[in-house]
Coordinates of all heavy atoms in Angstrom, one line a residue:
M125 N 20.5 1.0 -5.4 CA 20.5 1.4 -6.8 C 19.2 2.2 -7.1 O 18.1 1.9 -6.7 CB 20.5 0.1 -7.7 CG 20.9 0.4 -9.1 SD 20.9 -1.1 -10.1 CE 19.2 -1.2 -10.5
V126 N 19.4 3.2 -7.9 CA 18.2 4.1 -8.2 C 18.1 4.1 -9.7 O 19.0 4.4 -10.5 CB 18.4 5.5 -7.7 CG1 17.3 6.4 -8.2 CG2 18.6 5.6 -6.2
N127 N 16.9 3.7 -10.2 CA 16.6 3.8 -11.6 C 15.9 5.0 -12.0 O 15.0 5.4 -11.3 CB 15.8 2.6 -12.1 CG 16.6 1.3 -12.1 OD1 17.8 1.3 -12.4 ND2 16.0 0.2 -11.6
Y128 N 16.2 5.6 -13.1 CA 15.4 6.8 -13.5 C 14.7 6.4 -14.8 O 15.3 5.9 -15.7 CB 16.3 8.0 -13.7 CG 16.7 8.6 -12.4 CD1 17.9 8.2 -11.8 CD2 15.8 9.4 -11.6 CE1 18.3 8.7 -10.6 CE2 16.2 9.9 -10.4 CZ 17.4 9.5 -9.9 OH 17.8 10.0 -8.7
I129 N 13.4 6.6 -14.9 CA 12.7 6.4 -16.1 C 13.0 7.6 -17.1 O 13.3 8.7 -16.6 CB 11.2 6.2 -15.9 CG1 10.6 7.3 -15.1 CG2 11.0 4.8 -15.2 CD1 9.1 7.2 -15.0
S130 N 12.9 7.3 -18.3 CA 13.4 8.1 -19.4 C 13.2 9.6 -19.3 O 13.9 10.3 -18.6 CB 13.0 7.6 -20.7 OG 11.6 7.3 -20.7
N131 N 12.2 10.2 -19.9 CA 12.2 11.6 -20.0 C 10.9 12.3 -19.6 O 10.9 13.4 -19.0 CB 12.6 12.1 -21.4 CG 11.9 11.2 -22.4 OD1 10.7 10.8 -22.2 ND2 12.6 10.8 -23.5
N132 N 9.8 11.6 -19.8 CA 8.5 12.3 -19.7 C 7.9 12.2 -18.3 O 6.7 11.9 -18.1 CB 7.5 11.8 -20.7 CG 7.5 10.3 -20.7 OD1 8.2 9.6 -20.0 ND2 6.6 9.8 -21.5
I133 N 8.7 12.3 -17.3 CA 8.2 12.2 -15.9 C 7.2 13.3 -15.6 O 6.2 13.0 -14.9 CB 9.4 12.2 -14.9 CG1 9.0 11.7 -13.5 CG2 10.1 13.5 -14.8 CD1 9.4 10.3 -13.2
E134 N 7.4 14.5 -16.1 CA 6.4 15.5 -15.8 C 5.1 15.2 -16.4 O 4.1 15.4 -15.7 CB 7.0 16.9 -16.4 CG 8.0 17.6 -15.5 CD 7.4 17.8 -14.1 OE1 6.2 18.3 -14.0 OE2 8.1 17.6 -13.1
S135 N 5.0 14.7 -17.6 CA 3.7 14.4 -18.2 C 3.1 13.2 -17.5 O 1.8 13.1 -17.4 CB 3.9 14.0 -19.7 OG 4.7 12.9 -19.8
M136 N 3.9 12.3 -16.9 CA 3.3 11.2 -16.1 C 2.6 11.8 -14.9 O 1.6 11.3 -14.5 CB 4.5 10.3 -15.6 CG 5.1 9.6 -16.7 SD 4.5 7.9 -16.7 CE 6.0 7.1 -17.2
K137 N 3.3 12.8 -14.2 CA 2.7 13.3 -13.0 C 1.4 14.0 -13.4 O 0.4 13.9 -12.7 CB 3.7 14.4 -12.5 CG 3.5 14.6 -11.0 CD 4.5 15.6 -10.4 CE 4.0 16.1 -9.1 NZ 4.8 17.2 -8.6
D138 N 1.4 14.8 -14.5 CA 0.1 15.4 -14.9 C -1.0 14.3 -15.2 O -2.1 14.5 -14.8 CB 0.4 16.2 -16.3 CG 1.1 17.4 -16.0 OD1 1.3 17.8 -14.8 OD2 1.6 18.1 -17.0
Y139 N -0.5 13.2 -15.8 CA -1.5 12.2 -16.1 C -2.1 11.6 -14.8 O -3.3 11.4 -14.7 CB -0.7 11.1 -16.9 CG -1.5 9.9 -17.2 CD1 -2.6 9.9 -18.1 CD2 -1.3 8.7 -16.5 CE1 -3.3 8.8 -18.4 CE2 -2.0 7.5 -16.8 CZ -3.1 7.6 -17.8 OH -3.8 6.5 -18.0
V140 N -1.2 11.4 -13.8 CA -1.7 10.8 -12.5 C -2.6 11.8 -11.9 O -3.7 11.5 -11.3 CB -0.5 10.5 -11.6 CG1 -1.0 10.2 -10.2 CG2 0.3 9.4 -12.1
E141 N -2.3 13.1 -11.9 CA -3.2 14.1 -11.4 C -4.5 14.1 -12.0 O -5.6 14.3 -11.4 CB -2.5 15.5 -11.4 CG -1.5 15.7 -10.4 CD -2.0 15.4 -9.0 OE1 -3.0 15.8 -8.6 OE2 -1.2 14.6 -8.3
S142 N -4.6 14.0 -13.3 CA -5.9 14.0 -14.1 C -6.7 12.8 -13.7 O -7.9 12.8 -13.5 CB -5.6 14.0 -15.6 OG -5.1 12.9 -16.0
I143 N -6.0 11.6 -13.5 CA -6.7 10.4 -13.0 C -7.2 10.6 -11.6 O -8.3 10.2 -11.3 CB -5.8 9.2 -13.1 CG1 -5.6 8.9 -14.6 CG2 -6.5 8.0 -12.4 CD1 -4.7 7.7 -14.8
R144 N -6.4 11.2 -10.7 CA -6.7 11.4 -9.4 C -8.0 12.2 -9.3 O -8.9 11.9 -8.5 CB -5.6 12.2 -8.6 CG -5.8 12.1 -7.1 CD -4.8 13.1 -6.4 NE -3.4 12.7 -6.6 CZ -2.8 11.8 -5.9 NH1 -3.4 11.1 -4.9 NH2 -1.5 11.6 -6.1
Y145 N -8.1 13.2 -10.1 CA -9.3 14.1 -10.2 C -10.5 13.2 -10.6 O -11.6 13.3 -10.0 CB -9.0 15.2 -11.2 CG -10.2 16.1 -11.4 CD1 -10.5 17.1 -10.4 CD2 -11.0 16.0 -12.5 CE1 -11.6 17.9 -10.6 CE2 -12.1 16.9 -12.7 CZ -12.4 17.8 -11.7 OH -13.4 18.7 -11.9
R146 N -10.3 12.4 -11.6 CA -11.4 11.5 -12.0 C -11.9 10.5 -11.0 O -13.0 10.3 -10.8 CB -11.0 10.8 -13.3 CG -12.0 11.1 -14.4 CD -11.7 10.4 -15.7 NE -10.8 9.2 -15.7 CZ -9.8 9.1 -16.6 NH1 -9.5 10.0 -17.5 NH2 -9.0 8.0 -16.6
V147 N -10.9 9.9 -10.3 CA -11.2 9.0 -9.3 C -11.9 9.6 -8.1 O -12.9 9.0 -7.6 CB -9.9 8.3 -8.8 CG1 -10.1 7.4 -7.5 CG2 -9.3 7.4 -9.9
I148 N -11.6 10.8 -7.7 CA -12.3 11.4 -6.6 C -13.7 11.7 -7.0 O -14.6 11.5 -6.3 CB -11.5 12.7 -6.3 CG1 -10.2 12.5 -5.6 CG2 -12.4 13.6 -5.4 CD1 -9.3 13.6 -5.4
K149 N -13.9 12.1 -8.3 CA -15.2 12.4 -8.8 C -16.0 11.2 -9.1 O -17.2 11.1 -8.7 CB -15.0 13.3 -10.1 CG -16.0 14.4 -10.3 CD -15.5 15.4 -11.3 CE -16.5 15.5 -12.4 NZ -16.5 14.7 -13.6
D150 N -15.5 10.3 -9.8 CA -16.3 9.1 -10.3 C -15.9 7.8 -9.7 O -16.6 6.8 -10.0 CB -16.1 9.0 -11.8 CG -16.5 10.3 -12.6 OD1 -17.4 11.0 -12.1 OD2 -15.8 10.6 -13.6
G151 N -14.9 7.7 -8.9 CA -14.4 6.4 -8.4 C -13.5 5.7 -9.4 O -13.4 6.2 -10.5
G152 N -13.0 4.6 -8.9 CA -12.1 3.8 -9.8 C -10.8 3.6 -9.1 O -10.6 3.9 -7.9
N153 N -9.8 3.1 -9.8 CA -8.5 2.8 -9.2 C -7.4 3.8 -9.7 O -7.4 4.2 -10.8 CB -8.0 1.4 -9.7 CG -9.0 0.4 -9.1 OD1 -9.4 0.4 -7.9 ND2 -9.3 -0.6 -9.9
M154 N -6.6 4.2 -8.7 CA -5.4 5.0 -9.0 C -4.3 4.1 -9.6 O -4.1 3.0 -9.1 CB -5.0 5.7 -7.7 CG -5.9 6.8 -7.3 SD -5.9 8.2 -8.4 CE -4.1 8.8 -8.2
P155 N -3.5 4.7 -10.5 CA -2.3 3.9 -10.9 C -1.1 4.1 -10.0 O -0.1 3.5 -10.3 CB -2.0 4.6 -12.3 CG -2.5 6.0 -12.1 CD -3.7 6.0 -11.2
V156 N -1.3 4.8 -8.9 CA -0.3 4.9 -7.9 C -0.8 4.2 -6.6 O -1.9 4.3 -6.3 CB 0.2 6.3 -7.6 CG1 0.9 6.9 -8.9 CG2 -0.9 7.2 -7.2
A157 N 0.2 3.7 -5.8 CA -0.2 3.1 -4.5 C -0.7 4.1 -3.5 O -0.1 5.2 -3.4 CB 1.0 2.3 -4.0
S158 N -1.8 3.8 -2.8 CA -2.2 4.8 -1.8 C -1.6 4.4 -0.5 O -1.5 3.2 -0.1 CB -3.7 4.8 -1.8 OG -4.2 3.6 -1.3
G159 N -1.2 5.4 0.3 CA -0.8 5.2 1.6 C 0.7 4.9 1.8 O 1.2 4.8 2.9
I160 N 1.4 4.8 0.6 CA 2.9 4.6 0.8 C 3.6 5.7 0.0 O 3.1 6.1 -1.1 CB 3.4 3.2 0.4 CG1 3.1 2.9 -1.0 CG2 2.8 2.2 1.3 CD1 3.8 1.6 -1.4
Y161 N 4.7 6.1 0.5 CA 5.4 7.3 0.0 C 6.8 7.0 -0.5 O 7.4 6.1 0.1 CB 5.4 8.4 1.1 CG 4.0 8.8 1.5 CD1 3.3 8.1 2.4 CD2 3.4 9.9 0.9 CE1 2.0 8.4 2.8 CE2 2.1 10.3 1.2 CZ 1.4 9.6 2.1 OH 0.1 9.9 2.5
C162 N 7.2 7.7 -1.5 CA 8.5 7.4 -2.1 C 9.6 7.7 -1.1 O 9.6 8.6 -0.4 CB 8.6 8.4 -3.3 SG 10.3 8.3 -4.1
D163 N 10.6 6.8 -1.1 CA 11.7 6.9 -0.2 C 12.6 8.2 -0.6 O 13.2 8.7 0.3 CB 12.7 5.7 -0.4 CG 12.3 4.6 0.5 OD1 11.5 4.8 1.5 OD2 12.7 3.4 0.3
E164 N 12.5 8.6 -1.8 CA 13.4 9.7 -2.2 C 12.7 11.0 -2.0 O 13.3 11.9 -1.4 CB 13.7 9.6 -3.7 CG 14.6 8.4 -4.1 CD 16.0 8.7 -3.6 OE1 16.5 9.8 -3.7 OE2 16.6 7.7 -3.2
C165 N 11.4 11.2 -2.4 CA 10.8 12.5 -2.4 C 9.7 12.6 -1.4 O 9.1 13.7 -1.3 CB 10.4 12.9 -3.8 SG 9.0 11.9 -4.4
D166 N 9.3 11.4 -0.8 CA 8.2 11.5 0.2 C 6.8 11.8 -0.4 O 6.0 12.3 0.3 CB 8.6 12.4 1.3 CG 8.3 11.8 2.7 OD1 8.3 10.6 2.7 OD2 8.2 12.6 3.6
E167 N 6.7 11.6 -1.7 CA 5.4 11.9 -2.3 C 4.7 10.5 -2.6 O 5.3 9.5 -2.7 CB 5.6 12.6 -3.6 CG 6.1 14.0 -3.5 CD 5.2 15.0 -3.0 OE1 3.9 14.8 -3.0 OE2 5.6 16.0 -2.5
E168 N 3.3 10.7 -2.7 CA 2.5 9.5 -2.9 C 2.3 9.2 -4.4 O 1.2 9.4 -4.9 CB 1.1 9.7 -2.2 CG 0.3 8.5 -1.9 CD -1.0 8.8 -1.1 OE1 -1.3 10.0 -0.9 OE2 -1.7 7.9 -0.7
Y169 N 3.4 8.8 -5.0 CA 3.4 8.7 -6.5 C 4.0 7.4 -6.9 O 4.5 7.3 -8.0 CB 4.1 9.9 -7.1 CG 3.3 11.1 -7.4 CD1 3.4 12.2 -6.5 CD2 2.4 11.1 -8.4 CE1 2.7 13.3 -6.7 CE2 1.6 12.2 -8.6 CZ 1.8 13.4 -7.8 OH 1.0 14.5 -8.0
I170 N 3.9 6.3 -6.1 CA 4.6 5.1 -6.5 C 3.7 4.3 -7.4 O 2.6 3.9 -7.1 CB 5.0 4.3 -5.3 CG1 6.0 5.1 -4.4 CG2 5.6 3.0 -5.7 CD1 6.3 4.4 -3.1
C171 N 4.2 4.1 -8.7 CA 3.4 3.4 -9.7 C 3.1 2.0 -9.4 O 3.9 1.2 -9.0 CB 4.1 3.5 -11.0 SG 3.3 2.7 -12.4
I172 N 1.8 1.6 -9.6 CA 1.4 0.2 -9.5 C 0.7 -0.3 -10.7 O 0.2 -1.4 -10.8 CB 0.4 -0.1 -8.2 CG1 -0.8 0.9 -8.3 CG2 1.2 0.1 -6.9 CD1 -1.8 0.5 -7.3
D173 N 0.8 0.5 -11.8 CA 0.2 0.1 -13.1 C 1.4 -0.1 -14.1 O 2.0 0.9 -14.5 CB -0.7 1.3 -13.5 CG -1.4 1.0 -14.9 OD1 -1.0 0.0 -15.5 OD2 -2.2 1.8 -15.3
D174 N 1.7 -1.3 -14.4 CA 2.8 -1.5 -15.3 C 2.6 -1.1 -16.7 O 3.5 -1.2 -17.5 CB 3.4 -3.0 -15.1 CG 2.4 -4.0 -15.5 OD1 1.3 -3.7 -16.0 OD2 2.7 -5.2 -15.4
G175 N 1.4 -0.7 -17.0 CA 1.1 -0.1 -18.3 C 1.6 1.3 -18.4 O 1.8 1.8 -19.5
L176 N 1.9 1.9 -17.3 CA 2.4 3.3 -17.2 C 3.8 3.4 -17.0 O 4.5 4.1 -17.8 CB 1.6 3.9 -16.0 CG 1.5 5.4 -15.9 CD1 0.8 6.0 -17.1 CD2 0.8 5.8 -14.7
A177 N 4.4 2.6 -16.0 CA 5.8 2.6 -15.8 C 6.0 1.3 -15.0 O 5.1 0.7 -14.5 CB 6.2 3.8 -15.0
E178 N 7.3 1.0 -14.8 CA 7.6 -0.2 -14.0 C 7.0 0.0 -12.6 O 7.1 1.0 -12.0 CB 9.1 -0.4 -13.9 CG 9.5 -1.7 -13.4 CD 11.0 -1.8 -13.1 OE1 11.7 -1.0 -13.8 OE2 11.4 -2.6 -12.3
V179 N 6.3 -1.1 -12.1 CA 5.8 -1.0 -10.7 C 6.9 -0.7 -9.7 O 7.9 -1.3 -9.7 CB 5.1 -2.4 -10.4 CG1 4.7 -2.4 -8.9 CG2 3.9 -2.6 -11.3
G180 N 6.6 0.3 -8.9 CA 7.6 0.7 -7.9 C 8.3 2.0 -8.3 O 9.0 2.6 -7.5
T181 N 8.1 2.4 -9.5 CA 8.7 3.7 -10.0 C 7.9 4.8 -9.4 O 6.7 4.9 -9.5 CB 8.7 3.7 -11.5 OG1 9.4 2.6 -12.0 CG2 9.4 5.0 -12.0
C182 N 8.6 5.8 -8.9 CA 8.0 7.0 -8.4 C 7.7 7.9 -9.6 O 8.6 8.2 -10.3 CB 8.9 7.7 -7.4 SG 8.2 9.3 -6.9
L183 N 6.5 8.3 -9.8 CA 6.1 9.1 -10.9 C 6.4 10.6 -10.6 O 6.2 11.4 -11.5 CB 4.7 8.9 -11.3 CG 4.4 7.4 -11.8 CD1 2.9 7.3 -12.1 CD2 5.2 7.0 -13.0
N184 N 6.8 10.9 -9.5 CA 7.2 12.3 -9.2 C 8.6 12.6 -9.4 O 9.0 13.5 -10.1 CB 6.8 12.6 -7.7 CG 7.1 14.0 -7.3 OD1 6.7 15.0 -8.0 ND2 7.9 14.2 -6.3
C185 N 9.5 11.6 -8.9 CA 11.0 11.9 -9.1 C 11.7 10.9 -9.9 O 12.8 11.0 -10.3 CB 11.6 12.0 -7.7 SG 11.7 10.4 -6.8
G186 N 11.0 9.7 -10.2 CA 11.6 8.7 -11.0 C 12.4 7.6 -10.3 O 13.0 6.7 -10.9
A187 N 12.5 7.8 -9.0 CA 13.3 6.8 -8.2 C 12.5 5.5 -8.2 O 11.3 5.4 -8.3 CB 13.5 7.3 -6.7
H188 N 13.3 4.4 -8.0 CA 12.7 3.1 -7.9 C 12.5 2.7 -6.4 O 13.5 2.7 -5.7 CB 13.4 2.0 -8.7 CG 12.7 0.7 -8.7 ND1 11.7 0.4 -9.5 CD2 12.9 -0.4 -7.9 CE1 11.3 -0.8 -9.3 NE2 12.0 -1.3 -8.3
N189 N 11.3 2.3 -6.1 CA 11.0 1.8 -4.7 C 10.7 0.4 -4.8 O 10.0 -0.1 -5.6 CB 9.8 2.6 -4.1 CG 10.1 4.0 -3.9 OD1 10.3 4.5 -2.7 ND2 10.0 4.9 -4.9
D190 N 11.3 -0.4 -3.8 CA 10.9 -1.8 -3.7 C 9.6 -2.0 -3.0 O 9.6 -1.8 -1.8 CB 12.0 -2.6 -3.0 CG 13.2 -2.8 -3.9 OD1 13.0 -3.1 -5.1 OD2 14.4 -2.7 -3.4
I191 N 8.6 -2.2 -3.7 CA 7.3 -2.4 -3.1 C 6.8 -3.8 -3.4 O 7.2 -4.4 -4.4 CB 6.2 -1.3 -3.5 CG1 6.0 -1.4 -5.0 CG2 6.7 0.1 -3.1 CD1 4.7 -0.7 -5.4
A192 N 5.8 -4.3 -2.6 CA 5.2 -5.5 -2.8 C 3.7 -5.4 -2.4 O 3.4 -4.5 -1.7 CB 5.9 -6.6 -2.0
E193 N 2.9 -6.3 -2.9 CA 1.5 -6.3 -2.6 C 1.3 -7.3 -1.5 O 1.7 -8.5 -1.7 CB 0.7 -6.6 -3.9 CG -0.8 -6.5 -3.7 CD -1.6 -6.7 -5.0 OE1 -1.0 -7.1 -6.0 OE2 -2.8 -6.6 -4.9
C194 N 0.7 -6.9 -0.4 CA 0.4 -7.8 0.7 C -0.5 -9.0 0.2 O -1.5 -8.8 -0.4 CB -0.2 -7.1 1.8 SG -0.7 -8.1 3.2
E195 N -0.1 -10.2 0.5 CA -0.9 -11.4 0.1 C -2.2 -11.5 0.9 O -3.1 -12.2 0.5 CB -0.1 -12.6 0.3 CG 1.1 -12.8 -0.7 CD 1.9 -14.0 -0.4 OE1 1.5 -14.9 0.4 OE2 3.0 -14.1 -1.1
R196 N -2.3 -10.8 2.1 CA -3.5 -11.0 2.9 C -4.5 -9.9 2.6 O -5.7 -10.2 2.4 CB -3.1 -11.0 4.4 CG -4.3 -11.1 5.2 CD -3.9 -11.4 6.7 NE -5.1 -11.3 7.5 CZ -5.5 -10.2 8.1 NH1 -4.8 -9.1 8.1 NH2 -6.6 -10.2 8.8
C197 N -4.1 -8.6 2.6 CA -5.0 -7.6 2.5 C -4.9 -6.8 1.1 O -5.8 -6.0 0.9 CB -4.9 -6.6 3.6 SG -3.4 -5.6 3.6
G198 N -3.9 -7.1 0.3 CA -3.8 -6.4 -1.0 C -3.2 -5.0 -0.9 O -3.1 -4.4 -2.0
Q199 N -2.9 -4.6 0.2 CA -2.2 -3.3 0.4 C -0.8 -3.3 -0.1 O -0.1 -4.3 0.1 CB -2.3 -2.8 1.8 CG -1.6 -1.6 2.2 CD -2.3 -0.3 1.7 OE1 -2.0 0.2 0.6 NE2 -3.2 0.2 2.5
Y200 N -0.4 -2.2 -0.8 CA 1.0 -2.2 -1.2 C 1.8 -1.6 0.0 O 1.3 -0.8 0.7 CB 1.2 -1.2 -2.4 CG 0.8 -2.0 -3.7 CD1 -0.5 -1.9 -4.1 CD2 1.7 -2.7 -4.4 CE1 -0.9 -2.5 -5.3 CE2 1.3 -3.3 -5.6 CZ 0.0 -3.3 -6.0 OH -0.4 -3.9 -7.2
Y201 N 3.1 -2.0 0.0 CA 4.0 -1.6 1.1 C 5.4 -1.6 0.6 O 5.7 -2.3 -0.3 CB 3.7 -2.4 2.4 CG 4.2 -3.9 2.2 CD1 5.4 -4.3 2.7 CD2 3.4 -4.8 1.5 CE1 5.8 -5.6 2.5 CE2 3.8 -6.1 1.3 CZ 5.0 -6.5 1.8 OH 5.5 -7.8 1.7
H202 N 6.3 -1.0 1.4 CA 7.7 -1.0 1.1 C 8.3 -2.4 1.5 O 8.2 -2.7 2.7 CB 8.5 0.1 1.9 CG 8.4 1.4 1.2 ND1 9.0 1.7 0.0 CD2 7.7 2.5 1.5 CE1 8.7 2.9 -0.3 NE2 7.9 3.5 0.5
D203 N 8.8 -3.1 0.6 CA 9.4 -4.4 0.9 C 10.9 -4.3 1.1 O 11.6 -4.8 0.2 CB 9.0 -5.3 -0.3 CG 9.4 -6.8 -0.1 OD1 9.5 -7.2 1.1 OD2 9.6 -7.5 -1.1
Y204 N 11.2 -3.8 2.2 CA 12.7 -3.6 2.5 C 13.4 -4.9 2.7 O 14.6 -5.1 2.3 CB 12.9 -2.7 3.7 CG 12.4 -1.3 3.5 CD1 11.4 -0.8 4.3 CD2 13.0 -0.5 2.6 CE1 10.9 0.5 4.1 CE2 12.5 0.8 2.4 CZ 11.5 1.3 3.2 OH 11.1 2.6 3.0
D205 N 12.7 -5.9 3.2 CA 13.4 -7.1 3.6 C 13.4 -8.1 2.5 O 14.2 -9.1 2.5 CB 12.7 -7.8 4.8 CG 12.6 -6.8 6.0 OD1 13.6 -6.0 6.1 OD2 11.7 -6.9 6.8
G206 N 12.5 -8.0 1.5 CA 12.4 -8.9 0.4 C 12.0 -10.3 0.8 O 12.5 -11.3 0.3
D207 N 11.1 -10.3 1.8 CA 10.6 -11.6 2.4 C 9.9 -12.4 1.2 O 9.3 -11.8 0.3 CB 9.6 -11.4 3.5 CG 10.3 -10.8 4.7 OD1 11.6 -11.0 4.8 OD2 9.6 -10.2 5.5
E208 N 10.0 -13.7 1.4 CA 9.3 -14.6 0.4 C 7.8 -14.5 0.5 O 7.1 -14.5 -0.5 CB 9.8 -16.0 0.6 CG 9.8 -16.8 -0.7 CD 10.6 -18.1 -0.5 OE1 11.9 -18.0 -0.2 OE2 10.0 -19.2 -0.6
I209 N 7.3 -14.4 1.7 CA 5.9 -14.3 1.9 C 5.6 -12.8 2.1 O 6.2 -12.1 2.9 CB 5.4 -15.0 3.2 CG1 5.7 -16.5 3.0 CG2 3.9 -14.7 3.4 CD1 5.6 -17.3 4.3
K210 N 4.8 -12.2 1.2 CA 4.6 -10.8 1.1 C 3.4 -10.4 2.0 O 2.3 -10.7 1.8 CB 4.2 -10.4 -0.3 CG 5.3 -10.7 -1.4 CD 6.6 -10.1 -1.0 CE 7.7 -10.4 -2.1 NZ 9.0 -10.1 -1.7
L211 N 3.8 -9.8 3.2 CA 2.8 -9.3 4.1 C 3.2 -7.9 4.6 O 4.4 -7.6 4.9 CB 2.8 -10.2 5.4 CG 2.2 -11.6 5.2 CD1 2.4 -12.4 6.5 CD2 0.7 -11.5 4.9
C212 N 2.2 -7.0 4.6 CA 2.5 -5.6 5.1 C 2.7 -5.7 6.6 O 2.4 -6.7 7.2 CB 1.3 -4.7 4.7 SG -0.2 -5.1 5.6
D213 N 3.1 -4.6 7.1 CA 3.4 -4.6 8.6 C 2.3 -4.9 9.4 O 2.4 -5.7 10.4 CB 4.0 -3.2 9.0 CG 5.4 -3.0 8.5 OD1 6.0 -4.0 8.1 OD2 5.9 -1.8 8.5
S214 N 1.1 -4.4 9.1 CA -0.1 -4.6 10.0 C -0.5 -6.1 9.9 O -0.9 -6.7 10.9 CB -1.2 -3.7 9.7 OG -1.6 -3.8 8.3
C215 N -0.4 -6.7 8.7 CA -0.7 -8.1 8.6 C 0.4 -9.0 9.3 O 0.0 -10.0 9.9 CB -0.9 -8.6 7.2 SG -2.3 -7.8 6.4
K216 N 1.6 -8.6 9.3 CA 2.7 -9.3 10.0 C 2.3 -9.3 11.5 O 2.4 -10.3 12.2 CB 4.0 -8.6 9.8 CG 4.9 -9.3 8.8 CD 6.2 -8.6 8.6 CE 6.8 -8.9 7.3 NZ 7.8 -7.9 6.9
D217 N 1.9 -8.1 12.0 CA 1.6 -8.0 13.4 C 0.4 -8.9 13.7 O 0.4 -9.6 14.7 CB 1.2 -6.5 13.8 CG 2.4 -5.7 13.8 OD1 3.5 -6.2 13.9 OD2 2.2 -4.5 13.9
Y218 N -0.5 -9.0 12.8 CA -1.8 -9.8 13.0 C -1.3 -11.2 13.2 O -1.8 -11.9 14.1 CB -2.7 -9.6 11.8 CG -3.8 -10.5 11.7 CD1 -5.0 -10.2 12.4 CD2 -3.8 -11.8 11.1 CE1 -6.1 -11.0 12.3 CE2 -4.9 -12.6 11.0 CZ -6.1 -12.2 11.7 OH -7.1 -13.1 11.6
Y219 N -0.4 -11.7 12.3 CA 0.0 -13.1 12.5 C 0.8 -13.4 13.7 O 0.8 -14.5 14.3 CB 0.7 -13.6 11.2 CG -0.2 -13.9 10.0 CD1 -0.2 -13.1 8.9 CD2 -1.2 -14.9 10.1 CE1 -1.0 -13.3 7.8 CE2 -2.0 -15.1 9.1 CZ -2.0 -14.4 7.9 OH -2.8 -14.6 6.9
K220 N 1.6 -12.4 14.1 CA 2.5 -12.5 15.2 C 1.6 -12.6 16.5 O 2.0 -13.4 17.4 CB 3.3 -11.2 15.3 CG 4.8 -11.6 15.4 CD 5.7 -10.3 15.6 CE 5.9 -9.6 14.3 NZ 6.5 -8.3 14.6
N221 N 0.5 -11.9 16.5 CA -0.3 -11.9 17.7 C -1.3 -13.1 17.8 O -2.0 -13.2 18.7 CB -1.1 -10.6 17.8 CG -0.2 -9.4 18.0 OD1 0.9 -9.6 18.5 ND2 -0.6 -8.3 17.5
E222 N -1.3 -13.9 16.8 CA -2.3 -15.0 16.7 C -1.9 -16.1 17.7 O -0.8 -16.4 17.9 CB -2.3 -15.6 15.3 CG -3.8 -15.8 14.9 CD -3.9 -16.3 13.5 OE1 -3.0 -17.0 13.0 OE2 -4.9 -15.9 12.8
Ligands
LIG414 ZN1 9.9 10.1 -5.6
LIG415 ZN1 -1.6 -6.6 4.7

């Protein structure tokens, strides 16, 4: 299932870009997950700030991605399996090798 957020996706993208510029310059947190890319458009625009849009919404194309925050390292990742314990791939490997 793909959800599309209402109408102002273009202004969201501009907003993210303006924040990206500020974060590079002054530091701070991005409202999009770093290091994971939208399943639909392959862009790094997946929202993690629910004040902006629903978490998991791509601010580039509006597609909804199932993402979760890793309980161990705090990294966001694609949660394809919907596991009860939220671990990113590298943390899963870590526990497997223990
Ligand atoms: Zn997208
Ligand atoms: Zn992790």
Side-chain angles (χ1 to χ4, degrees):
M125 195 181 86
V126 177
N127 287 322
Y128 287 96
I129 53 173
S130 43
N131 38 40
N132 50 356
I133 194 105
E134 277 305 315
S135 59
M136 294 259 213
K137 205 179 158 188
D138 287 347
Y139 177 70
V140 171
E141 282 312 309
S142 70
I143 292 178
R144 193 190 298 277
Y145 179 75
R146 235 180 18 227
V147 167
I148 290 167
K149 222 164 121 267
D150 304 326
N153 294 317
M154 287 292 294
V156 295
S158 68
I160 61 171
Y161 297 84
C162 174
D163 272 344
E164 292 289 322
C165 67
D166 225 22
E167 295 286 340
E168 200 177 4
Y169 273 106
I170 298 176
C171 180
I172 52 170
D173 180 353
D174 62 5
L176 197 59
E178 194 188 335
V179 172
T181 302
C182 173
L183 298 178
N184 182 53
C185 73
H188 185 80
N189 291 259
D190 284 322
I191 61 164
E193 188 178 2
C194 176
E195 287 177 11
R196 180 168 171 267
C197 69
Q199 173 74 267
Y200 283 90
Y201 66 100
H202 280 288
D203 185 25
Y204 295 117
D205 303 329
D207 292 337
E208 210 164 297
I209 298 165
K210 302 300 183 194
L211 289 172
C212 71
D213 285 346
S214 55
C215 290
K216 260 183 205 159
D217 286 348
Y218 174 87
Y219 284 116
K220 235 184 277 169
N221 295 332
E222 223 175 34

